[in-house]
Amino acid sequence: MNAIITASELASDLAGPRPPVLLDVRWQLSVAKAAGEPPFDGRAEYAAGHIPGAVYVDLDRELASAAGAQGRHPLPDLEVFGAAMRRAGVSSGRRVVVYDGGQGWAAARAWWLLRWTGHPDVRVLDGGLPAWDGPLSVQAPAPGQGDFRPVAGAEGLLDADGAAALARSGVLFDARAAERYRGDVEPIDRVGGHIPGAVSAPTNENVGADGRFLPAAELRSRFDALGAHDGAKVGVYCGSGVSGAHEVLALAVAGMPAALYVGSWSQWSSDPSRPVAVGPDPQ
């Protein structure tokens, strides 16, 4: 199954006899902003115009639990997540398509959660809303209640110890910007740097200038050059388990399964007992 879908394919599916459930997960990372600049409001963006039939999903409240010792975007309570998905009309026997404002991180977080908890058919709109050239709607749909019941997967998830071990025994990718990996800057978390042994693989290098994923062959070549070859086990982390999900999605497009360390650097760096590496070298 392909993990992504083009805008033209989505338009065709929406016009078909059994359209997919469509989720709008517009979101932006909350960082310090200039005085007087309002924070990003995904719900307001949705209300101003969305792909017809799409239901808004709140990443901070429905795809994550409250920030704390487990990181800035810990796993959501599965009852909360499941209720949100059923309210949006998600059922196990019906395809789901997810999109966001174009960056792809939030949509990938929803994709990863649905896949990890057992949904068999989820895709991300490649390029997000900017790739859509069809009409927009300001009408919120009233989908029927879905039947999806999330069950935590046995694989695909790393904790801090698992991430540390994988950095030694397999390949652990750090999906953040290279300057954060090196520890040159750290605008959010307690300390800069990376998990010892992790390899820098910024997620923005998985897409072209239009925000769409590079071809699968190019992604395979990229990850192979970074060490993900010969059947090596692969894991990904980022700042808080959002952009890392986008890298897991890129790996899926390339045909390479990978696990996600959801706590990511926000959890790792908050524990003074955890070692921190700095500079361009993984160690």
Side-chain angles (χ1 to χ4, degrees):
M1 186 194 75
N2 197 348
I4 57 176
I5 186 171
T6 67
S8 60
E9 289 171 335
L10 175 59
S12 177
D13 285 356
L14 289 174
R18 189 166 172 76
V21 174
L22 192 57
L23 306 180
D24 182 313
V25 198
R26 272 179 276 183
W27 170 89
Q28 286 183 10
L29 180 65
S30 295
V31 296
K33 293 181 177 293
E37 184 180 351
F40 179 82
D41 186 339
R43 192 176 295 277
E45 294 287 326
Y46 168 84
H50 51 267
I51 298 176
V55 177
Y56 179 72
V57 175
D58 189 313
L59 185 147
D60 289 314
R61 293 177 175 83
E62 296 171 326
L63 304 183
S65 53
Q70 300 304 308
R72 280 184 279 110
H73 289 103
L75 287 173
D77 178 281
L78 290 190
E79 287 299 322
V80 173
F81 172 62
M85 293 299 98
R86 291 190 295 275
R87 188 169 56 248
V90 175
S91 293
S92 296
R94 187 175 173 191
R95 177 185 296 177
V96 178
V97 174
V98 190
Y99 73 89
D100 59 21
Q103 188 178 43
W105 295 4
R109 172 72 175 222
W111 167 85
W112 181 84
L113 271 171
L114 281 163
R115 294 289 293 154
W116 178 66
T117 56
H119 198 287
D121 195 348
V122 190
R123 301 188 188 189
V124 170
L125 175 59
D126 195 16
L129 189 61
W132 177 257
D133 59 5
L136 296 179
S137 173
V138 296
Q139 301 298 317
Q145 184 81 354
D147 64 16
F148 179 64
R149 299 282 174 180
V151 177
E155 298 181 352
L157 178 68
L158 294 171
D159 60 11
D161 289 341
L166 188 58
R168 304 298 182 189
S169 65
V171 182
L172 181 65
F173 288 138
D174 184 318
R176 298 172 301 158
E179 59 268 25
R180 291 185 69 191
Y181 170 88
R182 295 191 301 265
D184 298 346
V185 299
E186 183 43 64
I188 305 172
D189 294 311
R190 184 184 69 85
V191 65
H194 58 271
I195 297 173
V199 176
S200 180
T203 196
N204 62 0
E205 295 180 16
N206 296 323
V207 298
D210 58 1
R212 302 181 194 185
F213 282 105
L214 300 176
E218 290 185 31
L219 290 172
R220 281 194 296 272
S221 294
R222 180 189 186 220
F223 293 126
D224 182 80
L226 291 171
H229 49 71
D230 299 328
K233 290 187 177 181
V234 180
V236 181
Y237 76 95
C238 57
S240 65
V242 179
S243 67
H246 190 264
E247 185 123 300
V248 173
L249 175 59
L251 283 153
V253 172
M256 299 175 169
L260 178 65
Y261 172 26
V262 173
S264 285
W265 190 248
S266 62
Q267 181 189 32
W268 183 279
S269 64
S270 69
D271 183 350
S273 72
R274 296 282 180 186
V276 171
V278 295
D281 189 275
Q283 306 305 325

